Structures are given as structure tokens and as C-alpha cells.
């Protein structure tokens, strides 16, 4: 229920605080006084887009704040999903800055507009005279039937939505997998060629470095062998000029004087160690020289292998054998995936078929629920239509299968209507006048009050085109609705305003340099005068006052 509304710096409203009671609340005022401005401000709290043009003072921000009682509505999950603290007393605030930026808050927590839009249908319904156009909207009609459905069928819409989401998800996955399979089939031959080429190469991680070293050795084999042979010859040969023979002579000379000089013994020992190391080096030089042989055939083998590695690296844009091996393994996995894709597609097709069966069952249940709701609606709406001045009106709901399974089910629905006796029932969008559509929508809204938890409904001049006894009937219907919910009616009809438990008046005040809108609650005697003015003129006649008193009894 809407408890309070604070508006500041919005259009013609400089600052206003409005308190709303429970039950039936009437709002009256001259045309242009600002009643629609109040609704526009309230719309900001329900997620409508903001425009800096509404700022009366362009240097100050606009603030709209409302307090709602939302106890018992089961809205906790919406707050949890948005990470907003829940309280039975909900305070919504919207600010529009001079820069045209806007901010929204719920219980002092910043929120995004989608949160307000998600919350709005659960806390308030603003019904304007233009909303009658929704009677021609198929989604509105289907949602209406789902709301009217019996309690035991209340879960049918949600069950269908879940089945529809699961079916569309699986179907989308199947389409994506099928597309992938088709693309992979086109690439399979090329992928297989690339894999075979890398696989046949039998690559090893460290072979490139080893081959490059061997290639260098083979290219300079003769020079390496000659160098080692020359080094060995300088170590030991028959000329007597080599290093080893001369060192041996030096050792012999030291051995002759060792007994005469202590240092000679130490030097001879060190020279002996050097001779052992040099002998070992000489033997390795000889062995290495003998091992170095030049083989044109091996040179060709090494060059060919390196050429293959370099070509594969250039082709795949890499610089190491390890990267080539990684590409080979990835190609192998992709080829294996292609080979198993048929099995995955077949399994997914079975899941899609099963989900479609569940979708059909859920749709059949939903259709049965809507059919019963349509029969109930066709019957229950007639007394209200008769009260609203259409005694010969007939109304029927026609439910037929749609061509596809959509988000709302497998149904197409028409509301058939005719206000004249004996006339053929036809689509109400084609046969109902504007006034008849308004009364039809009022009758539907009245019927919904016993099927919905919606706490507040605001009627914005739904009584346009209504007068006389019909306006009295409209007032009575709104009173009945107000027994179950808060009903706020913006009206020009005294017959409706007189029925309200609370009466608010919107009026303009004009000064030398500005015009502002104000709103205030009328006391009992003021209400009598206001209803009388609506009946006649300002000031009202005595007859109008008497009539107003009778209307308010």
C-alpha cells in the first residue's frame, strides 16, 4: 500500500507531502491543476526514464520519495537477488540532478532502474485511460487468464516457463553444436593433413639443438680433426721438441739434485702431476681426432632434418620444437573431438526431444488452466458489465492453439464482445467503443482484486466518457475493490469522489512570477463543498450542496 509521497522541484510542484489512507482515495482538481504531474513523479519511482526538463528550478535537484507497506507480498526474493535489505516498510527515492543524471535508492541502498521496474508490478498498478489498449495485447490477455486461474492451477505458468527455458536452452546448445560440427567437417581434411605432417615428423623436444651442433661439427670436420692432431703432435712426437719429452727431461734433471735441495723434491712432485694430466689430455686429443670423420651422407641427413624442422616452424609461426609438439597434440584433440561429435549431437537430440515432450505436457496443462479461467471470466464479468450500463453485453474468451510454443505458451486468445442484443460476438478490439473499452477494463480490474495480491491500484481518469447512473456504478465498484486493496482514483465525477474514504484536492496557486501545483487532504465540510462544486459551479448552489450531501451518505 502507498502510504506517503514526497515531491520536490518536479514540474509545477515545488514541494509537496501527501499522505494516503487505506481503502478508497479520490483525487480531484481542475484540468491542468497537476494531477498527472503527481503520477509522473510516482512513475519515476517505478523505473521510468528521467528527464532534466522536469526540474522547476534548473539549479536544484528533483527528489521524489514514497513509502509503501509491502508486508505479506512475498517480495523478499527480489530484494535478495538485488542485494538490498528487505523491510515491510519500503522507501523508494529517486533523484534527478541538474546534469540530467539520476539516482535511485531502495531503503537507502543505491539500486538500478531494472530493480524498480521488476518491483513495480508487485506494489502498484497505475491504470490510465490509454491502458485499455492493452486489451488488444495477446500477452496481457494470457497473463490475465493466468491470474484468474484456480489456486490448484497457479503453478502451471511457472512450470511452463521452466520447461520452455530448458527446451530453448537445449535447442540452442544443439544448434551451436550442429554448427560447430558442420564447420569442423569442412576443416577436418586440412586438420588431418596438418596433424599427419607433424606426427610423421616424429619430433623430439631437444633434437633441434643437437642437430644444429652436429651440423656445425660436420661442416668443419677436417679443420677440427687437423687441429686436434696438431695439438697432440705438439704434446708428444719424436722430434724431441714436443712438450711431454721436454717435461720428462726436466723431471729427470730435478731427480739428480733432489738430495741436495729440498725444493727440488716438491717441484719434481708437482711436475709429475702435470705430466700425468698432460698425458691424459694427449690421449683424449688422439681419440677425439680419430673420432672426427666427415660423412657427406650424414651431413645430408642432418641438413634435411633441420630443414624439415625449420619449415614446420615457419609454417606454424613458432620458434621451437616444443611448440610444434603442442600444436600437434592440439590438432589430435580437435580431431578426436570431431570424431566424437556425432555421439554428442545424438545424445543432445534425445535430450531436446525429451524436453519438448515435457514442454508439450506443461503447455497442455497451462491451456487447460486458461480454458477454465476463460470460462470463469466470461461468467463473472457479466454482472459488472451490466452494472456499468451494458445490460445486453455478452463476453466470451476464445482460446485456440498458436502456431508455435512461445514464452507465454501454446495459446492464442481472443476476447469476444458485443454490447447489443442479438449481435454477433466479435474481437472486442474491433467492436468496442472507447467508453465500452474503459468500462470493460474497469470490470476486469475489479474482478482481479479477488485473485491478486497487488496492494494498490491508481485509476487515472478511467471515468472519461462516463456520466449519470453509470458514474454511480463506477463509484460503487471502486468501493468494492477498496475492500480488498487500496484504490486511488483521479476523477472529474462527483459521484465517484463522493464515495471515497479520503479526498485529496490538487489546485494551482499563481503569484506574480510563477504558478505552482499543490495538493492537500480535504476535511469533511471541505469535501462536501468540493463535490458540490463538481456538480455545479464555484461557489456551489444550495441544490448542489444538497445533492452532494446525498451522494456522500
Amino acid at each position: 500500500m502507498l502510504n506517503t509521497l514526497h515531491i520536490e522541484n518536479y514540474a509545477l510542484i515545488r514541494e509537496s507531502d501527501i499522505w494516503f489512507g487505506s481503502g478508497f482515495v479520490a483525487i480531484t482538481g481542475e484540468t491542468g491543476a497537476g494531477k498527472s504531474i503527481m503520477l509522473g513523479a510516482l512513475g519515476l519511482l517505478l523505473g521510468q526514464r528521467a528527464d532534466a526538463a522536469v526540474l522547476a528550478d534548473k539549479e536544484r535537484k528533483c527528489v521524489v520519495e514514497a513509502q509503501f507497506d509491502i508486508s505479506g507480498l512475498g517480495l523478499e526474493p527480489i530484494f535478495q537477488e538485488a542485494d538490498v535489505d528487505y523491510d515491510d516498510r519500503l522507501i523508494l527515492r529517486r533523484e534527478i540532478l541538474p546534469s540530467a543524471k539520476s539516482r535511485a535508492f531502495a531503503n537507502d541502498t543505491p539500486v538500478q532502474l531494472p530493480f524498480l521496474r521488476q518491483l513495480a508490478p508487485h506494489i502498484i498498478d497505475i491504470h490510465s485511460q490509454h491502458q485499455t489498449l492493452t486489451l488488444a495485447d495477446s500477452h496481457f490477455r494470457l497473463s490475465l487468464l493466468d491470474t484468474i486461474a484456480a489456486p490448484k492451477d497457479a503453478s502451471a505458468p511457472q512450470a511452463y516457463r521452466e520447461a520452455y527455458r530448458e527446451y530453448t536452452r537445449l535447442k540452442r546448445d544443439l544448434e551451436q553444436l550442429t554448427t560447430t560440427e558442420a564447420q569442423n567437417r569442412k576443416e577436418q581434411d586440412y586438420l588431418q593433413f596438418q596433424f599427419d605432417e607433424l606426427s610423421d615428423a616424429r619430433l623430439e623436444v631437444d633434437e633441434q639443438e643437437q642437430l644444429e651442433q652436429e651440423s656445425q661439427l660436420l661442416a668443419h670436420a677436417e679443420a677440427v680433426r687437423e687441429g686436434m692432431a696438431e695439438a697432440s703432435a705438439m704434446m708428444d712426437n719424436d722430434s724431441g721438441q714436443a712438450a711431454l719429452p721436454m717435461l720428462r727431461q726436466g723431471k729427470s734433471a730435478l731427480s739428480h739434485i733432489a738430495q741436495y735441495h729440498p725444493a727440488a723434491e716438491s717441484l719434481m712432485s708437482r711436475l709429475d702431476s702435470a705430466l700425468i694430466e698432460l698425458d691424459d689430455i694427449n690421449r683424449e686429443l688422439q681419440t677425439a681426432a680419430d673420432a672426427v670423420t666427415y660423412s657427406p651422407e650424414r651431413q645430408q641427413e642432418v641438413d634435411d632434418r633441420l630443414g624439415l624442422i625449420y619449415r614446420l616452424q615457419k609454417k606454424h609461426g613458432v620458434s621451437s620444437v616444443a611448440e610444434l609438439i603442442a600444436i600437434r597434440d592440439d590438432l589430435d584433440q580437435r580431431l578426436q573431438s570431431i570424431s566424437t561429435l556425432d555421439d554428442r549431437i545424438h545424445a543432445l537430440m534425445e535430450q531436446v526431444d525429451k524436453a519438448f515432450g515435457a514442454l508439450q505436457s506443461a503447455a497442455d496443462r497451462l491451456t487447460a488452466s486458461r480454458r477454465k479461467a476463460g470460462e470463469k471470466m466470461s461468467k463473472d464479468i457479466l454482472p459488472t458489465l451490466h452494472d456499468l450500463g451494458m445490460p445486453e453485453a455478452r463476453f466470451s474468451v476464445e482460446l485456440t492453439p498458436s502456431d508455435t510454443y512461445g514464452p507465454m505458451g501454446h495459446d492464442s486468445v481472443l476476447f469476444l464482445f458485443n454490447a447489443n442484443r442479438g449481435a454477433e460476438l466479435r474481437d472486442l478490439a474491433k467492436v468496442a467503443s472507447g467508453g465500452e473499452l474503459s468500462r470493460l477494463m474497469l470490470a476486469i480490474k475489479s474482478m482481479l482484486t479477488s485473485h491478486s495480491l497487488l496492494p494498490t491500484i491508481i485509476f487515472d481518469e478511467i471515468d472519461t466518457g462516463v456520466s449519470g447512473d453509470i458514474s454511480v456504478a463506477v463509484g460503487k465498484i471502486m468501493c468494492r475493490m477498496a475492500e480488498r486493496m487500496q484504490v486511488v482514483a483521479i476523477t472529474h465525477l462527483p459521484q465517484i469522489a463522493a464515495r471515497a474514504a479520503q479526498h485529496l484536492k490538487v489546485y494551482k496557486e499563481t503569484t506574480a512570477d510563477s504558478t505552482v501545483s499543490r495538493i492537500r487532504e480535504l476535511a469533511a465540510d471541505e469535501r462536501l463543498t468540493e463535490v458540490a462544486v463538481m456538480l455545479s459551479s464555484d461557489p456551489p448552489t444550495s441544490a448542489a450542496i444538497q445533492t452532494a450531501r446525498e451522494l456522500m451518505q
Side-chain angles (χ1 to χ4, degrees):
M1 185 181 81
L2 175 61
N3 293 326
T4 64
L5 178 63
H6 171 79
I7 305 173
E8 183 180 336
N9 195 34
Y10 182 85
L12 295 179
I13 300 177
R14 293 296 182 267
E15 186 169 2
S16 182
D17 289 287
I18 311 164
W19 286 264
F20 295 87
S22 60
F24 186 16
V25 181
I27 300 177
T28 62
E30 295 181 0
T31 300
K35 300 184 295 297
S36 296
I37 294 175
M38 182 191 70
L39 288 184
L42 188 58
L44 290 176
L45 298 178
L46 305 180
Q48 294 180 6
R49 295 185 62 182
D51 187 344
V54 302
L55 272 64
D57 183 345
K58 304 300 182 182
E59 303 300 320
R60 295 170 50 231
K61 68 180 179 181
C62 161
V63 178
V64 181
E65 182 174 293
Q67 178 180 309
F68 299 85
D69 180 356
I70 58 172
S71 57
L73 298 181
L75 301 181
E76 290 88 343
I78 296 178
F79 284 78
Q80 291 173 358
E81 184 179 348
D83 196 22
V84 176
D85 291 338
Y86 173 84
D87 193 294
D88 287 343
R89 186 188 67 168
L90 169 64
I91 298 177
L92 297 180
R93 186 169 80 255
R94 188 85 180 273
E95 299 178 355
I96 306 175
L97 306 179
S99 63
K101 293 182 179 179
S102 75
R103 300 181 296 190
F105 303 85
N107 294 337
D108 288 328
T109 300
V111 295
Q112 302 297 318
L113 294 189
F115 171 78
L116 298 181
R117 293 172 187 148
Q118 183 183 9
L119 197 62
H122 301 283
I123 61 175
I124 196 167
D125 176 13
I126 299 180
H127 178 84
S128 68
Q129 53 186 314
H130 304 294
Q131 197 184 10
T132 53
L133 298 175
T134 60
L135 283 171
D137 181 75
S138 178
H139 283 192
F140 173 79
R141 296 175 177 182
L142 292 172
S143 297
L144 185 60
L145 294 178
D146 293 340
T147 302
I148 296 172
K152 65 183 182 66
D153 296 321
S155 62
Q158 180 62 27
Y160 176 83
R161 285 192 292 270
E162 291 175 358
Y164 180 76
R165 280 196 295 268
E166 179 66 6
Y167 170 70
T168 53
R169 181 187 68 81
L170 290 170
K171 187 178 179 182
R172 182 174 59 251
D173 290 347
L174 178 60
E175 290 172 351
Q176 291 176 348
L177 199 59
T178 302
T179 300
T180 300
E181 192 268 347
Q183 292 174 343
N184 285 348
R185 291 297 179 195
K186 292 179 181 179
E187 298 177 358
Q188 186 175 15
D189 290 343
Y190 179 61
L191 294 176
Q192 187 67 56
F193 170 77
Q194 287 186 310
F195 172 75
D196 290 343
E197 185 178 43
L198 290 171
S199 180
D200 293 343
R202 301 184 182 279
L203 300 168
E204 296 179 8
V205 175
D206 298 327
E207 68 171 318
Q208 183 176 351
E209 292 181 2
Q210 296 173 359
L211 289 170
E212 288 174 343
Q213 290 176 1
E214 186 177 359
S215 178
Q216 287 290 321
L217 179 58
L218 287 169
H220 302 87
E222 188 65 28
V224 170
R225 186 174 57 189
E226 289 178 356
M228 287 188 173
E230 182 179 354
S232 176
M234 294 181 70
M235 295 286 290
D236 193 9
N237 59 47
D238 296 334
S239 67
Q241 301 300 314
L244 286 172
M246 294 180 69
L247 289 173
R248 292 189 188 101
Q249 291 177 9
K251 176 184 174 183
S252 177
L254 289 174
S255 67
H256 293 311
I257 63 171
Q259 59 181 327
Y260 306 119
H261 197 296
E265 182 71 28
S266 174
L267 291 170
M268 184 178 66
S269 176
R270 290 170 61 189
L271 186 58
D272 189 51
S273 297
L275 280 168
I276 293 172
E277 178 67 16
L278 290 172
D279 276 331
D280 186 61
I281 292 173
N282 185 43
R283 283 191 296 271
E284 289 191 20
L285 284 171
Q286 292 174 355
T287 301
D290 293 340
V292 176
T293 58
Y294 175 71
S295 170
E297 293 78 9
R298 180 57 184 167
Q299 178 79 64
Q300 188 64 47
E301 289 177 6
V302 171
D303 290 346
D304 289 347
R305 183 64 176 173
L306 284 172
L308 172 63
I309 291 173
Y310 295 151
R311 179 173 59 81
L312 291 174
Q313 288 175 344
K314 182 177 180 180
K315 178 177 181 178
H316 293 281
V318 296
S319 58
S320 69
V321 173
E323 291 172 299
L324 288 175
I325 292 174
I327 292 171
R328 179 199 65 194
D329 293 344
D330 180 65
L331 289 169
D332 188 29
Q333 290 181 0
R334 292 177 65 182
L335 288 167
Q336 290 181 26
S337 176
I338 292 173
S339 66
T340 61
L341 210 54
D342 285 340
D343 293 338
R344 292 163 58 193
I345 289 175
H346 180 72
L348 195 53
M349 287 177 66
E350 291 182 349
Q351 293 181 53
V352 170
D353 289 342
K354 183 178 179 180
F356 184 66
L359 180 68
Q360 288 178 310
S361 297
D364 291 342
R365 180 189 170 199
L366 185 57
T367 298
S369 169
R370 287 169 172 170
R371 200 172 299 281
K372 288 185 289 185
E375 293 171 357
K376 177 178 175 58
M377 181 180 179
S378 299
K379 177 183 176 181
D380 292 353
I381 200 174
L382 290 179
T384 305
L385 292 179
H386 296 167
D387 290 343
L388 290 171
M390 294 184 283
E392 303 297 335
R394 287 175 299 137
F395 181 90
S396 178
V397 177
E398 182 181 88
L399 202 65
T400 57
S402 61
D403 296 333
T404 60
Y405 289 84
M408 294 291 291
H410 187 48
D411 304 311
S412 293
V413 61
L414 285 177
F415 286 173
L416 305 178
F417 172 78
N418 209 301
N420 303 312
R421 178 184 296 180
E424 178 185 3
L425 283 173
R426 296 177 60 193
D427 183 356
L428 64 82
K430 298 179 179 178
V431 298
S433 66
E436 289 169 342
L437 285 173
S438 293
R439 283 177 276 176
L440 268 167
M441 183 59 91
L442 177 59
I444 289 171
K445 295 285 186 179
S446 174
M447 186 173 54
L448 285 176
T449 58
S450 60
H451 298 278
S452 172
L453 291 176
L454 185 69
T456 301
I457 186 169
I458 298 178
F459 289 109
D460 181 17
E461 300 185 359
I462 195 174
D463 51 26
T464 300
V466 174
S467 60
D469 293 340
I470 305 303
S471 60
V472 174
V474 170
K476 290 180 179 179
I477 290 171
M478 289 185 177
C479 283
R480 289 202 301 267
M481 294 175 65
E483 293 173 0
R484 298 187 181 92
M485 66 191 306
Q486 182 186 48
V487 177
V488 180
I490 297 175
T491 182
H492 290 289
L493 295 180
Q495 294 89 340
I496 293 176
R499 291 277 179 178
Q502 180 186 18
H503 191 154
L504 303 174
K505 181 178 180 179
V506 181
Y507 58 98
K508 283 183 179 179
E509 283 187 352
T510 303
T511 63
D513 57 356
S514 67
T515 299
V516 297
S517 289
R518 302 192 184 281
I519 184 168
R520 66 184 181 89
E521 182 177 0
L522 299 180
D525 58 334
E526 292 176 313
R527 286 193 61 194
L528 179 65
T529 301
E530 176 68 9
V531 172
V533 168
M534 295 172 72
L535 283 165
S536 59
S537 58
D538 189 9
T541 64
S542 58
I545 292 176
Q546 180 59 33
T547 302
R549 185 174 288 111
E550 293 173 357
L551 288 174
M552 294 174 65
Q553 290 178 349

